[in-house]
Amino acid sequence: MSRTRVLTAAAVSASTIAALLALPAAQATVSNDVVVNEVYGGGGNSGATLKNDFIELRNDGTAPVSLASWSVQYIAAAPGAATTWQVTNLSGSIAPGKTYLIAEAAGTGGTADLPTPDATGAINLSGTAGTVALVTSQTALTCKTAADCAAEGSIKDLIGYGTAVIHEGSADAPAASNTTSVARNASGTDTDQNGTDFTAGDPTPTPGGSGTGGGTQPGPLRIHDIQGAGWVSPVNGQAVTNVPGIVTALRTSGSKGFWIQDPTPDANPATSEALFVYTGSAPTVAVGDSVLVSGKAQAYYPLASGDTVATTSNLSVTEIGGPTVTEVSSGNALPAPIVLSAANVPATYAPNLGGANIEGTPVVPTRSVLDFYRSIQGMRVEVDNARVVGPSDTYGEQYVTVKPNEAATYRGGSELLGENQTPSGRLEVVPADGSNPHVNVGDVFTGATVGPLDYSQYGGFLIAASTLGTVQNNHLAPVVAAPDPAKELSVATYNVENLAPSDPAAKFQRLGAGIVTNLATPDIVSVEEVQDNSGATDDGTVAAGQTLTKLTAAIAAAGGPHYAWREIDPANDQDGGQPGGNIRTVFLYNPARVKFVDSGPANVDRTTTGTQVVSKHGDPALSLSPGRIDPANPVWTASRKPLVGEFQFRGKDVFVIADHFVAKLGDQSQDGRFQYPAQSSAIQRAGQAQVEHDFVQKLLDVDKKADVVVLGDLNDYQFSPAVNALRTGTSDGTGPSILTDLIGTLPINEQYTYDYEGVSEVLDHILVSKGIKDLSYQVVHVNSEYSDQASDHDPQVVRFKV
């Protein structure tokens, strides 16, 4: 029996230690099949002919070797503490006796392109010295010494050239240059001695395709196998090889890449036949190319700021990343597009899953629009003579309807008629060439709009339109309010969208003209989103006199009266909105028509002290006017506090409450994976509404016929719990109503004040007490339906006899 002998320090002689130190460093096992065959780092440098660096592999074995999930990696010759390995992922396979070419970074010089590569990366190799490793995983190495790398089991082969610290054997391969590479000797033997296995000489890259990475045989999976019949790819995160398809469209800006579609679909209606190939740089393929794509299948979730894959409510897009692309042929006919219409798009936009993740359910194309569009994600679709229901924004994004008769507004939009009733015909359109058609609601893209079906975090599914219908401008006219009778009081609300002194003069001019011409110079205007004098600069400024001076001057310049104002500066950064902006609500009023009743001590802090309802001679009055309603109540945290004021018109008292309830920020997406989406902000708005309802009730307790106008941006729908609570004191609207929401008095197809991602809906309201009976009311559409806007909200006005 043999035994292991243990040597103590005392038993090891000096000559033994010297002999141990003289042995070469530990090294990895020699490779009998795939090895690094050639390395060139001078591409594009001064004096170079080739434009790119490259790495070439060779299979010296007797059987094909799959490179799926392998990588080549590079590290500088003398790595420091912060130096990391750079990685290029591989795919496909390499046949016996064949080579596999990997194109790396390009320089600014050189005159010749590399031959067609099998894979493409972006590593900038040193032209003289460095280390390249062939690794059987795609995880970046962490070793920084020759000994540590020799012990790394995932390293298949390694070459250190020039003066590299990390190398195989006792010496580096020779140094390279801008005109020379280091290549394995003709014998191909791998002895793990870089110094003897490699020689410097002219670069000799072999064209790609000698391995199967660039071959012309389809791999085992088709696109419908990768897409699967669920919401996330069944091979998510796995390498896929030689997936066949026809290039149908290119994306050359933003998230660059191209779409491919299989012209031979399977029989399963739940599986899409197309997907996006993410290249990260301008795609080199052309529409009509037949290609084979290898890379990693991945579910890409578009994320908003602060989101993660775990927390986002967005759906995913199935794509292939890190691709290797082989062109089989060009000039092929494209698969015919699916024509979207009321005949094939489901009537329900999203299923009610009780808030659950739709990804836990199968894709059922007939169940909802979300299901149907997921089943054809990436495929070519067509919409004919599409009417615009959401105007172009600054990014060239707009919305159309594929169901022109669905929930149509009187001006051509698509209206929200109930909670979670997103119009099912709504669909975003984005020109693939990055152009902006500048369309308004009611305009029409005549003819065919065609492109692959994609998904965005801003508005759900969309057509990336490679063909856009011809714009038919229907010249939507802005609404102009009826003139104000002298004996009637007119009260309006207008969200002026983060108005600051630094805004262009044109914005102030348009707002001024809108108040004078379109609103017909109301006696009182509640203005929301007025920022402080320094705008969004977070410098502690809270006063807004400069902003209001510019606004009232613009109104006067447009032919209007010289409005006075009343407002209460918020505590710095306590009222939400754009950070630093300190937005607030403001009363503008025409002192020639109405009197503002100022009440309360001059030295009281109205920012933190709430106004109270008091009785004067049997009539309601305010302890502070202007005043804030219960500003210390937690329901107003990070939100605007209601501004209440007492006015007199023709000797009669009118109480006006200007609102800007908390926004819908943080709510889940109507286009996302959680259905129906959670609206976390709704709870706070309902609380705000309850507090305000109770305040109005106190005014009416003193005089049940008191004239009270509640108005502003409530950030919620006419059928919402918040508006119900404001009207009745109950979130379900079953209590006795003390206020009438005037939007509900209009015909159904006129009940909207805002256009959010192609949905005409109500966010702004005017409510009046029961004592106000003889009135007229209008929503004045001047902004939300137009690509050119002074604000994203439309104002509205009510006129009545006091």
Side-chain angles (χ1 to χ4, degrees):
M1 178 184 290
S2 62
R3 297 179 182 272
T4 300
R5 184 170 62 179
V6 179
L7 299 179
T8 65
V12 181
S13 66
S15 61
T16 301
I17 294 174
L20 290 171
L21 291 175
L23 291 174
Q27 56 195 32
T29 305
V30 298
S31 176
N32 294 318
D33 43 38
V34 184
V35 294
V36 178
N37 191 54
E38 187 173 2
V39 174
Y40 174 61
N45 292 351
S46 176
T49 300
L50 294 171
K51 297 177 182 179
N52 289 72
D53 300 343
F54 71 86
I55 301 167
E56 188 178 86
L57 311 178
R58 186 169 72 196
N59 184 359
D60 290 330
T62 60
V65 176
S66 172
L67 301 180
S69 77
W70 287 29
S71 64
V72 289
Q73 303 191 24
Y74 170 80
I75 198 167
T83 309
T84 58
W85 288 84
Q86 300 175 61
V87 180
T88 296
N89 294 336
L90 307 179
S91 60
S93 62
I94 181 168
K98 301 297 184 180
T99 57
Y100 184 103
L101 181 63
I102 304 139
E104 296 293 358
T108 57
T111 58
D113 293 321
L114 287 175
T116 302
D118 294 281
T120 301
I123 300 174
N124 188 5
L125 305 173
S126 168
T128 56
T131 300
V132 170
L134 174 62
V135 185
T136 59
S137 81
Q138 295 179 347
T139 302
L141 299 169
T142 58
C143 55
K144 299 286 185 71
T145 67
D148 287 346
C149 288
E152 174 54 65
S154 66
I155 295 179
K156 179 72 171 176
D157 191 26
L158 181 145
I159 169 179
Y161 61 100
T163 57
V165 169
I166 304 171
H167 54 80
E168 287 183 346
S170 58
D172 286 290
S177 72
N178 292 347
T179 57
T180 59
S181 68
V182 285
R184 192 172 292 276
N185 296 331
S187 65
T189 305
D190 178 24
T191 67
D192 277 0
Q193 291 288 332
N194 290 164
T196 57
D197 287 349
F198 288 85
T199 303
D202 293 336
T204 57
T206 304
S210 58
T212 61
T216 58
Q217 296 300 313
L221 298 179
R222 310 290 286 206
I223 292 174
H224 48 249
D225 299 316
I226 296 170
Q227 286 280 16
W231 295 84
V232 178
S233 169
V235 293
N236 183 35
Q238 299 179 28
V240 294
T241 303
N242 282 7
V243 179
I246 304 295
V247 177
T248 60
L250 312 179
R251 180 187 284 148
T252 56
S253 62
S255 179
K256 297 182 178 68
F258 58 93
W259 285 269
I260 58 172
Q261 184 166 334
D262 193 331
T264 56
D266 66 0
N268 188 344
T271 58
S272 173
E273 302 296 338
L275 52 69
F276 185 68
V277 179
Y278 173 67
T279 59
S281 58
T284 57
V285 296
V287 172
D289 285 352
S290 174
V291 295
L292 300 173
V293 181
S294 300
K296 179 187 286 186
Q298 53 196 33
Y300 168 71
Y301 288 90
L303 301 178
S305 176
D307 264 354
T308 66
V309 170
T311 62
T312 184
S313 64
N314 288 318
L315 294 168
S316 67
V317 175
T318 301
E319 62 183 29
I320 296 178
T324 300
V325 181
T326 301
E327 181 182 338
V328 178
S329 62
S330 60
N332 296 278
L334 303 186
I338 299 169
V339 180
L340 304 177
S341 69
N344 59 1
V345 175
T348 300
Y349 188 77
N352 184 1
L353 304 176
N357 189 344
I358 199 171
E359 292 174 342
T361 71
V363 173
V364 182
T366 58
R367 176 174 61 169
S368 74
V369 172
L370 295 183
D371 287 90
F372 176 60
Y373 286 162
R374 176 61 183 85
S375 75
I376 58 173
Q377 182 190 86
M379 296 177 68
R380 297 185 77 226
V381 298
E382 176 180 335
V383 180
D384 296 327
N385 299 321
R387 190 181 75 240
V388 175
V389 296
S392 305
D393 63 14
T394 56
Y395 304 101
E397 302 165 343
Q398 46 275 309
Y399 294 81
V400 301
T401 180
V402 304
K403 300 181 179 183
N405 297 322
E406 178 193 38
T409 71
Y410 79 114
R411 289 165 60 84
S414 286
E415 194 170 348
L416 186 70
L417 299 178
E419 198 74 62
N420 295 308
Q421 293 183 25
T422 301
S424 60
R426 156 189 172 269
L427 181 62
E428 186 177 356
V429 172
V430 181
D433 63 4
S435 62
N436 191 330
H438 297 290
V439 290
N440 302 324
V441 167
D443 292 346
V444 177
F445 290 115
T446 61
T449 294
V450 183
L453 191 71
D454 200 13
Y455 181 87
S456 163
Q457 73 183 68
Y458 306 109
F461 286 96
L462 62 89
I463 301 177
S466 50
T467 300
L468 191 65
T470 303
V471 174
Q472 175 183 300
N473 187 335
N474 285 339
H475 304 289
L476 186 68
V479 172
V480 176
D484 186 14
K487 293 183 179 181
E488 292 185 357
L489 176 69
S490 54
V491 185
T493 176
Y494 200 165
N495 183 319
V496 292
E497 193 182 7
N498 289 321
L499 186 66
S502 58
D503 282 338
K507 178 172 181 176
F508 283 93
Q509 291 166 0
R510 290 185 60 184
L511 291 172
I515 290 172
V516 173
T517 301
N518 299 92
L519 283 173
T521 57
D523 298 316
I524 303 168
V525 186
S526 164
V527 185
E528 299 88 48
E529 289 198 21
V530 172
Q531 292 196 347
D532 63 38
N533 293 334
S534 64
T537 302
D538 197 357
D539 58 2
T541 300
V542 293
Q546 294 177 27
T547 314
L548 293 167
T549 296
K550 291 189 70 172
L551 177 58
T552 53
I555 296 170
H562 292 276
Y563 280 97
W565 71 75
R566 292 292 187 274
E567 56 96 18
I568 296 172
D569 293 337
N572 188 46
D573 290 337
Q574 296 301 306
D575 277 19
Q578 189 175 21
N582 289 312
I583 58 174
R584 82 286 312 274
T585 56
V586 177
F587 290 130
L588 303 183
Y589 66 97
N590 180 359
R593 294 267 298 166
V594 297
K595 174 186 176 182
F596 189 87
V597 179
D598 290 291
S599 59
N603 60 350
V604 68
D605 182 1
R606 298 179 188 232
T607 300
T608 57
T609 303
T611 188
Q612 304 295 324
V613 175
V614 296
S615 177
K616 286 187 177 180
H617 311 295
D619 293 325
L622 301 175
S623 63
L624 297 173
S625 176
R628 296 176 116 189
I629 297 175
D630 199 7
N633 193 306
V635 298
W636 307 114
T637 299
S639 180
R640 283 67 54 189
K641 286 69 177 172
L643 179 70
V644 58
E646 182 179 350
F647 293 85
Q648 286 185 346
F649 178 71
R650 299 172 68 87
K652 305 288 186 176
D653 288 335
V654 179
F655 297 91
V656 182
I657 302 174
D659 288 309
H660 189 183
F661 283 4
V662 71
K664 291 178 176 288
L665 300 176
D667 290 0
Q668 292 176 343
S669 169
Q670 64 184 330
D671 309 302
R673 54 182 175 171
F674 301 105
Q675 294 296 339
Y676 290 146
Q679 299 184 46
S680 57
S681 65
I683 298 173
Q684 186 175 359
R685 279 193 301 278
Q688 294 174 339
Q690 186 66 57
V691 168
E692 192 160 305
H693 168 274
D694 295 346
F695 184 87
V696 173
Q697 185 63 65
K698 291 177 181 178
L699 289 169
L700 299 177
D701 287 344
V702 178
D703 179 3
K704 65 180 180 180
K705 294 184 178 181
D707 289 336
V708 182
V709 180
V710 177
L711 75 174
D713 179 1
L714 301 185
N715 268 314
D716 224 330
Y717 313 130
Q718 66 272 38
F719 38 74
S720 66
V723 175
N724 284 337
L726 182 56
R727 290 188 304 106
T728 69
T730 59
S731 61
D732 61 3
T734 58
S737 179
I738 63 172
L739 294 168
T740 299
D741 188 9
L742 296 182
I743 197 74
T745 67
L746 297 177
I748 291 293
N749 65 352
E750 296 182 21
Q751 294 183 15
Y752 65 97
T753 70
Y754 192 81
D755 192 308
Y756 179 69
E757 295 179 348
V759 180
S760 296
E761 59 191 40
V762 178
L763 292 184
D764 311 87
H765 299 254
I766 296 181
L767 301 94
V768 297
S769 59
K770 297 297 183 180
I772 299 175
K773 298 182 182 298
D774 186 10
L775 59 82
S776 62
Y777 165 73
Q778 285 180 278
V779 178
V780 179
H781 299 292
V782 293
N783 289 315
S784 69
E785 298 171 312
Y786 297 89
S787 61
D788 183 17
Q789 303 177 345
S791 168
D792 53 349
H793 290 250
D794 284 331
Q796 52 192 293
V797 61
V798 62
R799 296 172 183 81
F800 59 93
K801 291 181 179 179
V802 177

